Amino acid sequence: MNITQNILTEKAIELLKTLIRTQSFSGEEDKTGDAIEAFLRSFGIETKRQHNNIYAFNKYFDESKPTLLLNSHHDTVKPNSAYTKDPFDAHIEDGKLYGLGSNDAGGCLVSLLATFVHFYEKEGLSHNIIMAATGEEEDAGEKSIRALLPILPQIDVAIVGEPTLMDLAIAEKGLVVFDAVVSGTPSHAAHPNDDNCIYNAIETLQWFKDYSFDKVSDALGEVKLTVTQINAGKQHNVVPAQVDLVVDVRVNDCYSNQEISDILQKEAPCKMTPRSLRLNSSCIDPDHALVKSGLALGRKTYGSPTLSDQAALTCQSVKLGPGDSTRSHSANEFIFVREIEEGIDIYIKTLTGFLQ
C-alpha cells in the first residue's frame, strides 16, 4: 500500500462528511460504524467490531512489544435548538466544514484513522498500534470503550482524540457527582420551626462555597466543587423534610475519586452520596517520550478541565486532536479544513518521532 499523505487527508475529509450526514446519537452509531469499517477496509485493513466499537491492529502486531492505542468516538450529542444550519448537512463554507460532530470529535477521529492507515504496514516500530473508533462516549455508556477495553491486549499508552487545537492535554480532570441531602423537621408553615431544612441549607451552601481541597495539581490546579442543583418543597404551607442538592466535583490528578468521596462524606455538614466513582482523572508523565515528541514539534502542554474517554483508561494517556473544545456541543458546529490537514500532519510527525 503506497498512498500519499495528501490523498489520505482528502479521503479522511470525505469520510468526515459521510459521518456528519449519518445520524449517530449515542447508542445509535451502527451506520457510522459501517462507514468507518468501509474506510479501513478500502485500504486492505481487517477490522473487528464489538457493538458499534470498530477496531483494528497494525499489520505487524507483535505481542512482545508495548502497545499504543489511538482512540476517538463517532457518537454525537443531539443538536441544540439554536442551530440555524441543518446539523446533518456536511458542507464547506469559508474554509469551515460544518455539521454535527464535525469538531467533537469527527475531525479528531478521521485524522487518527488516516494516521493509523499511514503506519499500518510499517515494520520495525517500537510499539504496536490499535485503532479504536468507539461509541457512547457522550453518555459514558456501557457499550463504549469501557466494554471494549477488557477484550483488547494490554494498552501501555494512549492518544485520545478530542479537540485540543493540537496541543497536548497531559492531564484531565475526573468527575464525581454527589446527591446531597440537607435534613430538617417537616411542619405546617404556620407553626414555629427552628429546624427548617431550607434555612439549614443556607449554612450548608456556604460551607460548599468556602470549602477547598488541600492538594493542588501542577497541570490541573485545584479540585473544583460546585453546587449545581437545588430542590425542596412541594406546596407553600408545608416545611419540607429535606433539601436535595447536586454537587459537581471536578477532580485533579492528586486524588482518586474514592478519596474525594471519603473526604466529603466525612467532612460535609450533610449526607453525601456519590453517583459513580468510575470517571477518574488521568495523566501522562510530562517526560514521557510521546509528550517529548509532540513538544519537539512546538506543541504546548496543558491540563484539561473537560471529561473524555480518558477516564476509562488505566494507562498513561494524552488528549490530542484538531479542533477547539469551545465549539463542542455548540450550534452550527464546525471544524476548519486546515485543522484536519494540520492534525493529520502533526499526528504522523509526533508518532514518527515516538515510534522510531
Side-chain angles (χ1 to χ4, degrees):
M1 180 175 60
N2 185 17
I3 183 168
T4 67
Q5 189 172 317
N6 285 340
I7 293 175
L8 259 182
T9 302
E10 289 175 11
K11 289 182 176 293
I13 292 169
E14 287 306 308
L15 173 62
L16 179 52
K17 290 178 181 178
T18 299
L19 298 180
I20 291 168
R21 293 171 182 141
T22 308
Q23 181 176 302
S24 57
F25 303 144
S26 295
E28 304 174 16
E29 316 93 336
D30 52 312
K31 294 295 189 291
T32 47
D34 293 345
I36 293 163
E37 283 192 295
F39 174 84
L40 289 172
R41 288 175 178 173
S42 73
F43 297 103
I45 297 172
E46 178 185 354
T47 62
K48 299 177 183 294
R49 185 167 188 151
Q50 180 218 46
H51 308 303
N52 294 322
N53 300 320
I54 312 302
Y55 62 106
F57 302 82
N58 66 302
K59 186 173 183 178
Y60 298 103
F61 193 97
D62 179 347
E63 292 182 0
S64 68
K65 293 181 178 181
T67 295
L68 165 70
L69 173 68
L70 306 179
N71 166 245
S72 191
H73 64 95
H74 57 108
D75 63 315
T76 72
V77 296
K78 294 182 178 180
N80 62 60
S81 60
Y83 264 84
T84 59
K85 298 178 182 291
D86 181 348
F88 302 106
D89 177 20
H91 68 282
I92 296 173
E93 186 179 321
D94 297 327
K96 301 173 182 176
L97 175 51
Y98 283 93
L100 182 67
S102 55
N103 183 79
D104 182 18
C108 303
L109 175 61
V110 300
S111 298
L112 281 174
L113 285 163
T115 301
F116 176 74
V117 172
H118 174 84
F119 285 99
Y120 173 72
E121 288 190 348
K122 294 194 180 300
E123 299 184 66
L125 301 177
S126 65
H127 288 61
N128 302 309
I129 309 175
I130 298 176
M131 177 70 222
T134 50
E136 298 193 12
E137 188 270 351
E138 295 292 359
D139 60 2
E142 294 301 324
K143 295 179 180 179
S144 66
I145 192 174
R146 289 164 181 79
L148 180 61
L149 286 171
I151 67 173
L152 293 180
Q154 177 181 319
I155 306 299
D156 296 278
V157 64
I159 294 176
V160 175
E162 290 283 344
T164 70
L165 295 170
M166 289 311 292
D167 285 328
L168 298 99
I170 58 172
E172 175 186 274
K173 281 190 173 179
L175 170 66
V176 188
V177 177
F178 290 89
D179 291 301
V181 176
V182 181
S183 300
T185 302
S187 69
H188 194 294
H191 299 306
N193 186 343
D194 293 330
D195 189 31
N196 183 321
C197 64
I198 295 176
Y199 296 153
N200 294 345
I202 296 172
E203 184 176 343
T204 301
L205 290 168
Q206 189 64 49
W207 186 90
F208 282 126
K209 183 179 179 182
D210 295 340
Y211 188 81
S212 62
F213 292 85
D214 294 334
K215 299 177 185 177
V216 179
S217 163
D218 290 338
L220 294 171
E222 298 179 345
V223 174
K224 188 175 186 299
L225 181 155
T226 309
V227 178
T228 56
Q229 292 176 252
I230 183 168
N231 185 59
K234 293 185 178 178
Q235 58 192 78
H236 75 90
N237 58 350
V238 178
V239 175
Q242 67 185 52
V243 174
D244 297 313
L245 307 174
V246 176
V247 184
D248 178 294
V249 184
R250 303 290 166 152
V251 184
N252 66 23
D253 51 338
C254 299
Y255 296 92
S256 69
N257 286 359
Q258 184 65 61
E259 288 173 313
I260 293 292
S261 179
D262 291 344
I263 290 169
L264 286 178
Q265 289 190 73
K266 178 181 179 181
E267 297 188 13
C270 61
K271 183 180 178 182
M272 301 281 288
T273 304
R275 294 181 180 178
S276 170
L277 298 177
R278 69 179 184 173
L279 301 175
N280 281 287
S281 63
S282 54
C283 64
I284 189 170
D285 186 338
D287 292 324
H288 193 285
L290 182 59
V291 176
K292 286 185 173 181
S293 185
L295 290 173
L297 298 174
R299 311 319 298 175
K300 300 175 183 176
T301 61
Y302 73 103
S304 173
T306 57
L307 209 60
S308 74
D309 271 340
Q310 273 188 288
L313 300 173
T314 56
C315 64
Q316 294 196 81
S317 60
V318 61
K319 186 160 63 178
L320 175 67
D324 187 338
S325 67
T326 61
R327 297 183 213 134
S328 300
H329 304 180
S330 63
N332 301 330
E333 182 180 349
F334 70 87
I335 187 168
F336 287 100
V337 173
R338 61 170 171 75
E339 289 178 322
I340 299 171
E341 296 167 347
E342 178 188 55
I344 293 171
D345 188 58
I346 292 173
Y347 275 146
I348 288 175
K349 287 177 177 176
T350 299
L351 289 190
T352 297
F354 174 62
L355 297 171
Q356 297 177 358

